[in-house]
Amino acid sequence: MVEFELLERDGLARLGRFATPHGAIATPALLPVVHPDPERQPCPASELRDRFGVRALITSAYITWRTPPLREVAERDGIHKLLRFDGAVMTDSGAFQQHAYGTVEVGPEEILGFQERIGSDIATVLDVFTEPEASHDEAEAALNATTDRIRAARAARPGLLAAPVQGGPFADLRARSALAASAAGDVLAVGGVVPLLEQYRFRELAQVLSAVRPSLNPGAPVHLFGTGHPMAFAFAALHGVDLFDSSAYHKFARRGKLLFPDGTVAIESVREGICGCRLCAKLPLDRVATLPPPEQEPHLALHNLLVSFEEVALVRQAIRDGTLWELAERRAAVHPALRAGLRAATATPETFWPAEPESRRAFREVSVDSLRRPSAVRFVSRVRAFVADRPLGREIPAVALRPEYLSRIPTRDRSDRAIHWNATTPLGSVPLELTELYPVGPYLGLEEYELPRAHLAPAQLSRNLAGRPDLDADLAPDWTDSWTVRQFRALLDWAYGRAVAVRLAPELRGERSRRTGRLRKLVRGAAPHFVVGDDGLPRPTFRGAELLHAELEPGRLRVVVADDAVPFVREGRSLFSRFALSADPGLVPGSSALLVTRSDELLATGRLLLAPHEMGRLNRGVAVRVTAHRSRPDPSGGVPADDDSPRSGGSDDADPIGPE
Ligand code: GUN
Ligand code: ZN
C-alpha cells in the first residue's frame, strides 16, 4: 500500500513524502533516467548519490531485460547491485521503446515478472503508448489494453506499482484512464506526453493534466513521464505532478546543449562563464566550450543535472512559501509556448479551486497573466456575490489605503445615511471592509509604483475624504468604532455567512493593533473569540468555535472525527487523514473548521491542510492542524497572539526592496 504524506501545498502542487523500500522520496522530485549499462552513464549511479544527494532514480527494465549481460547481473544480484545504487529505483517497462521502435519483444507479464525478480522498488506496467495524434477509437483501444494490464499486474505484484495513464488528447479517455490507474496503482504515471513536451505543446499538456486531475487518487504520487527541461518543472508541479523523470540532461548534453530554467544554450556559442553551478564554478563554461565535444559531454550532462535538481529544490521551496504561481509565471516568460500552457491552465480555474489555498502571505504580480490566477478569479467572483445586494459605493484608490487610517473612514453622513466605500484595486472594485483579505490585501503590483507617492500620505487621504463636496461627513471620533463594527461584521459575513455575521456582530467588540491600526481581535467581555490573521480572516478561538457551532447548522464548517481519534483531538492533537470521516465540501486548504464527533459534539477548531475530497484518501499525515481546543481555547498556531507584534507576512515583509 502506498504511503504518501502531504506536508505543504500550493496550487495543485504537494510537498510530500513518499515511502519506498529503499528510503523516502521528498516530493516533488526529479528521478534522473540512468542507463542500466554503467558504460553508458555520464556519471555512475553510485556517484549520483554521493556527489548530488540523489535518493531515487529511474532506469529501463526493458533495456536491462533485452541486454543479456545486464539481465544476468540484474537477475542474480538485483537492480540495485547492477547500478551500484542503494536508493529507490523505479523501473520503466518498455512502453516508450515500443512507441519509438514500433514493437518490443516482451509481453506485459514477462516484463512485470522481471521487474519483480530484479527487486525494483517501483515497477511499471507495460502500457500501450498513445500518440497525441491518435483517433478516439485508437486511443480507446489502447486505453482498454492498458487497463487490463494494470488489473493483471496489480493481482500479480504486492510491491509498489506504477499504473500508467493514457488516453491521448481526449479528456473523457484521460479521465477514465486516471480512474483505472487510481484503482490499482501506487504511483499514477501520466504517459503519452513526451511528444507534447518535446514539441513545446504545453497548452495540450495543460489540458491533459486538467483532464486527469479530478479522477486521480489524491493519496498517490503522480508521475509525469519525460518531464526533462527544468523550465517546465514549476508548470508541471503546479498541475499536481509529484515525480518527474528525464533523460533530457543526458540527451541535451550529447547534442552540446546546456539546460537552464530559462532556456537552452548551445555550448559552442558560449564565450562567458554564464553558470555558477558547483561544476561550472570549477571549470567555467567558456573553458568547457574550447574542449573537444567528447570531453564536453560529461560536463554538460552533470551541469544539466545540477541545474535540474536546483530547479526542483526551488519548486519545493516555492510550495513552502506559497509562491509557486509566481515561479511558474516567471518561467512561462521564457517561452510563449509555456505561457500559452499557463493560460490554458487558468482557463479552467475550477480545476484548481478545490485545492487552491484560502490565502497566502503575498500576491505578487509577475505579468498581466497574474490576474488570471485561480485565487484572484475566485476572489473576484466571491466579491461579486458579496456586493450583489448592496448599494453602489464610493470609490477610493486602493493604493491610498493603509490599515492605520482605514479606521478613519466615515460610515454615515450627517443625515445618518450609510456610506459604502469601495477600493479600486487591480482586481476591480472591492468593498473597503474586505481590502485586507488575500489577494487584495497583500497585493504587490505595478500600480503601487506607478502612482505618485503623494497619493499615499495619510494627511492627503484625510483631506481627500473630508474635502469631497458630495460627502457631508461628520469627522467625529466615533467613526473608528462604527467602522470597526462594520469591518468585522463584513469579515464574519465573508468567512462564515451573513446569518452568522448578523447574529454575532452585536455581541462582539473589535480590537485594533495600537501599532499598525489593523483589526486584530474580536472579543466578548475580555475573552477573544476571533483572532484576525495576517491574511485578514477572522479565525475562531475555541470560544469563537463554540459560537459558530451553535449558529451554523450541522455539517457546515464541520470536519467529522472518527471515534478512535476523538480523545486525541479533544486534547489538541492534529487530526490525521485516516481519521477524518467527512468534511464540509465548501472548505478548502487553509480554511478554519470545526472538528466534531459523529454526534456533532465540538472537540476543537483547526485549519485544513487537506481539501475535503482528499481526507481519508491519504493514508498518512495530517488532515487538519488543530489550533485551539477546550483546555487551550486560544489559537496557538497560525495566528500571532501578540496584538502589537510586527506584522509578519504581507507583501512588504517578503520583499527586501519593498516600499516600507
Ligand atoms: N516513457 C515516456 N513516456 C512513457 C509512457 O507513456 N509510458 C511508459 N511506460 N514510459 C514512458
Ligand atoms: Zn553549470
Side-chain angles (χ1 to χ4, degrees), residues 547-566:
L547 294 184
L548 292 173
H549 185 252
E551 291 301 326
L552 291 167
E553 74 259 27
R556 284 278 315 280
L557 218 66
R558 307 309 201 263
V559 175
V560 180
V561 177
D563 296 347
D564 287 349
V566 164

Side-chain angles (χ1 to χ4, degrees), residues 171-481:
D172 60 325
L173 300 182
R174 283 286 180 182
R176 237 172 73 195
S177 186
L179 280 178
S182 296
D186 302 304
V187 171
L188 312 176
V190 179
V193 295
V194 168
L196 301 183
L197 286 155
E198 284 182 349
Q199 297 159 36
Y200 285 17
R201 290 157 69 180
F202 294 108
R203 212 169 48 78
E204 290 157 85
L205 182 62
Q207 284 158 356
V208 165
L209 291 170
S210 293
V212 298
R213 181 71 260 170
S215 304
L216 291 174
N217 169 16
V222 175
H223 183 102
L224 188 66
F225 277 120
T227 343
H229 202 299
M231 78 179 187
F233 292 168
F235 176 84
L238 190 64
H239 283 84
V241 174
D242 305 296
L243 302 170
F244 315 107
D245 81 74
S246 179
S247 52
Y249 74 98
H250 194 188
K251 277 194 189 142
F252 277 72
R254 279 203 298 262
R255 288 189 269 130
K257 294 288 199 312
L258 293 154
L259 297 176
F260 291 99
D262 59 359
T264 310
V265 174
I267 185 67
E268 64 190 15
S269 72
V270 172
R271 296 290 176 276
E272 308 283 341
I274 55 171
C275 179
C277 85
R278 215 151 18 103
L279 220 61
C280 301
K282 285 204 194 109
L283 183 61
L285 285 176
D286 50 338
R287 291 256 313 281
V288 175
T290 64
L291 302 174
E295 285 174 43
Q296 290 175 347
E297 187 186 310
H299 184 104
L300 302 195
L302 289 180
H303 156 93
N304 289 345
L305 207 50
L306 272 179
V307 164
S308 299
F309 284 128
E310 186 181 338
E311 178 68 2
V312 182
L314 269 176
V315 165
R316 285 195 301 265
Q317 184 64 37
I319 297 171
R320 285 194 174 84
D321 294 344
T323 55
L324 189 59
W325 279 97
E326 289 167 23
L327 182 63
E329 286 167 16
R330 275 160 48 207
R331 296 301 181 238
V334 168
H335 199 290
L338 206 47
R339 247 184 104 188
L342 208 52
R343 285 198 166 185
T346 53
T348 54
E350 60 280 2
T351 311
F352 290 87
W353 281 339
E356 179 64 26
E358 181 161 56
S359 64
R360 293 179 175 84
R361 286 161 49 95
F363 188 107
R364 200 179 306 218
E365 208 178 271
V366 174
S367 75
V368 288
D369 290 336
S370 302
L371 292 175
R372 301 166 61 109
R373 284 181 209 163
S375 59
V377 175
R378 179 169 67 188
F379 181 77
V380 170
S381 72
R382 281 190 68 188
V383 166
R384 218 168 272 147
F386 190 88
V387 300
D389 58 355
R390 76 182 226 167
L392 284 178
R394 304 166 199 240
E395 292 284 326
I396 311 177
V399 287
L401 300 174
R402 280 289 177 268
E404 59 274 25
Y405 45 87
L406 267 182
S407 58
R408 307 236 209 106
I409 303 293
T411 58
R412 310 196 82 79
D413 63 19
R414 263 206 191 115
S415 323
D416 206 31
R417 285 177 307 229
I419 311 169
H420 288 282
W421 293 98
N422 293 321
T424 313
T425 76
L427 301 176
S429 183
V430 175
L432 199 55
E433 298 92 317
L434 305 181
T435 47
E436 286 175 34
L437 293 174
Y438 174 88
V440 277
Y443 195 96
L444 189 65
L446 185 58
E447 207 172 305
E448 191 131 9
Y449 294 91
E450 278 193 321
L451 287 173
R453 303 295 293 178
H455 221 79
L456 306 176
Q460 176 86 21
L461 176 69
S462 295
R463 268 202 303 283
N464 283 351
L465 293 175
R468 292 276 292 266
D470 58 334
L471 173 62
D472 182 17
D474 179 355
L475 300 178
D478 73 333
W479 278 358
T480 309
D481 286 345

Side-chain angles (χ1 to χ4, degrees), residues 44-57:
S46 55
E47 276 185 41
L48 285 179
R49 173 148 201 168
D50 298 341
R51 291 178 62 190
F52 305 111
V54 172
R55 314 286 290 267
L57 54 75

Side-chain angles (χ1 to χ4, degrees), residues 92-96 124-125 127 129-130 164 166 190-194 225-226 245:
D92 198 1
S93 53
F96 191 65
T124 304
V125 176
D127 47 328
F129 188 99
T130 308
Q166 295 287 346
V190 179
V193 295
V194 168
F225 277 120
D245 81 74

